[in-house]
Amino acid sequence: SGNDKLFSLDLATGAKKQLTFGTHDDTGARFLDANTLVFTSTAIDPAKPAWLSAFADETKESGFYRTTLTARRAPEKVVMEAVRYNTPIKAEKADVYLLTKSTFTTFPNLLVGPSIAQATTKISNANAFQSEYNWGTAELVHWTSMDGMPRQGILFKPENFDPKKKYPMITYFYEDLSDGLHAYVAPNGGTSVNITQYVSNGYVMFEPDIQYETGHPGQSAVKAIVPGVQKIVDMGFVDPKKLGLQGHSWGGYQTTYLITQSNMFAAAEAGAPVANMISAYGGIRWGTGVNRAMQYETGQSRIGKTIEEGLPLYIENSPLFSLSRVSTPLL
C-alpha cells in the first residue's frame, strides 16, 4: 500500500536511503526476488536488478517497477494498470513469465509471455459460464465523513444498470475494502453477502472505507458510513426506502451499533456480532485459549483503555445499552 516505504540502511554508517517512487507519494512497494519473482525477505544482491511489486492507494492500480540498491534514480516503471496483479513466476531456464491479473469483471486467468509487460497470452479459461449471467461493474466513489475527512469506497452496479431506475442497495463493510476494487468475486455462499450474486439479481452494492478514532469505533463507523450511503442515494438511482446493511464479525458489531444511531436502513443483518463489550471483555477465544481483553484494550475494538479505566467508553460502544433506540428489523 502507499504506507509502505522501502529503504536501504548501511549498518556500518547508519546511512539511510529511500528507494520508493519519488513524486508518486500514494504508491507503495514490496521487494520481489529478481529470479523467482516471489515475495522475499531474504538477502538481495545490490549489484543485481531488484523487482518491486507496486500498488497505488488513490487509483488502486497495481504493477511492477525495477531498480537496484545502488541506483541514484527513481525505480523504472515496468507496468502499472487498473487491474489486480498476482505475483509473477519466471521459468527457471527461460525468459518466460506466468502471472494473472483481474478486475471485478475479468477472471484472473493464467497469462504467459516473454516479459511481465508482455505476458498477454491466455492459457486458461476458468469461469467461462460468466457470459451467461448478468454480472456487474465496480467503480471508486468518494465522499466526506461527518468529521470532514475524505473517504473512499466501491460502488457495484448490475451489468444492465439503468440510471433511470430506483435500485435497492445493500451496504457491506469491514474496515477498508476499497483496495479490492479490481478483485474478481466469484458467486459463492458464506457468512457475508456475495457482491456478484446480489448485483446479478438487481441490487446496487456499496463498500465504504472507515477510519477509526481510538475509544470511539462505533461512532467512527457512523461518521464514515452514513454520509457515504447518503452520497449514493443523492446520485438518484437508489431507492432510499430500500437500503440494507450487512456485516460479519467486526462488521457485524458495527451493523448492530449503526442501527442504534440511524433509522435510514430498511433492514440489517449482523453475523457474529458483539453487542456487549463489557461481557465480551472477559471472554476466552475458542481453540487458542487467548483472553479477549487485549482485543478491546489495544486490538481491533480500539477502546484504548482497560475496562476499569474506560468503563464509559465500553458502555458507549456497546449496542446493547442503546437497544431501545432500534427500529430497524435485524436478522
Side-chain angles (χ1 to χ4, degrees):
S1 73
N3 293 324
D4 297 330
K5 302 296 182 185
L6 297 176
F7 293 86
S8 65
L9 178 66
D10 189 321
L11 297 181
T13 66
K16 184 172 66 172
K17 175 184 176 184
Q18 186 170 334
L19 301 174
T20 43
F21 302 153
T23 59
H24 298 268
D25 294 330
D26 71 326
T27 303
R30 296 175 64 184
F31 271 114
L32 298 173
D33 184 271
N35 296 314
T36 59
L37 286 177
V38 295
F39 284 116
T40 181
S41 59
T42 58
I44 296 171
D45 187 339
K48 292 182 178 180
W51 286 90
L52 305 173
S53 172
F55 181 80
D57 275 345
E58 281 300 313
T59 65
K60 313 308 177 185
E61 290 184 333
S62 68
F64 304 94
Y65 281 67
R66 193 165 38 208
T67 190
T68 62
L69 293 180
T70 56
R72 294 183 178 276
R73 58 184 182 278
E76 171 196 358
K77 182 171 71 174
V78 176
V79 61
M80 284 290 286
E81 291 187 84
V83 300
R84 169 179 280 193
Y85 274 101
N86 79 324
T87 303
I89 300 172
K90 181 183 178 299
E92 184 177 356
K93 298 180 180 180
D95 286 331
V96 177
Y97 295 79
L98 175 73
L99 56 80
T100 69
K101 60 181 180 180
S102 69
T103 68
F104 182 68
T105 58
T106 305
F107 183 83
N109 278 296
L110 297 172
L111 305 172
V112 297
S115 69
I116 289 178
Q118 294 175 301
T120 57
T121 301
K122 188 169 75 170
I123 61 171
S124 69
N125 188 29
N127 283 15
F129 67 86
Q130 178 179 330
S131 62
E132 303 172 20
Y133 294 89
N134 178 6
W135 214 250
T137 62
E139 62 190 83
L140 272 183
V141 290
H142 300 82
W143 69 97
T144 302
S145 68
M146 289 179 182
D147 48 3
M149 301 299 293
R151 292 287 175 265
Q152 284 184 318
I154 309 176
L155 178 64
F156 302 90
K157 300 173 183 175
E159 184 178 353
N160 61 345
F161 175 75
D162 182 351
K164 296 179 182 179
K165 290 184 177 181
K166 293 286 188 179
Y167 291 87
M169 183 174 80
I170 296 176
T171 297
Y172 169 75
F173 52 92
Y174 192 76
E175 291 188 357
D176 290 345
L177 298 176
S178 66
D179 284 359
L181 175 67
H182 299 305
Y184 182 88
V185 182
N188 193 14
T191 56
S192 298
V193 289
N194 180 273
I195 299 296
T196 301
Q197 179 183 357
Y198 275 84
V199 294
S200 183
N201 283 277
Y203 284 79
V204 167
M205 305 295 287
F206 179 45
E207 292 184 345
D209 285 353
I210 304 162
Q211 183 172 331
Y212 295 95
E213 177 188 353
T214 299
H216 306 282
Q219 281 298 312
S220 297
V222 173
K223 290 177 180 179
I225 294 170
V226 170
V229 171
Q230 190 60 53
K231 170 69 179 282
I232 307 301
V233 170
D234 291 344
M235 292 179 180
F237 49 78
V238 167
D239 188 338
K241 295 182 180 180
K242 295 183 178 180
L243 300 175
L245 190 64
Q246 199 273 325
H248 187 81
S249 188
W250 180 239
Y253 155 69
Q254 291 169 103
T255 296
T256 57
Y257 186 89
L258 270 160
I259 61 174
T260 71
Q261 307 295 309
S262 173
N263 296 322
M264 74 188 304
F265 299 99
E269 191 277 336
V274 165
N276 184 353
M277 288 191 177
I278 296 173
S279 61
Y281 182 89
I284 301 293
R285 283 199 173 275
W286 288 2
T288 64
V290 173
N291 79 82
R292 292 174 60 95
M294 62 176 184
Q295 175 182 332
Y296 297 93
E297 294 174 9
T298 59
Q300 187 177 46
S301 298
R302 298 172 169 88
I303 299 301
K305 295 182 178 181
T306 67
I307 201 168
E308 182 180 20
E309 297 167 335
L311 181 59
L313 292 176
Y314 284 80
I315 295 173
E316 170 196 321
N317 288 286
S318 296
L320 183 67
F321 298 107
S322 300
L323 189 59
S324 61
R325 293 195 287 191
V326 175
S327 61
T328 305
L330 174 68
L331 172 63

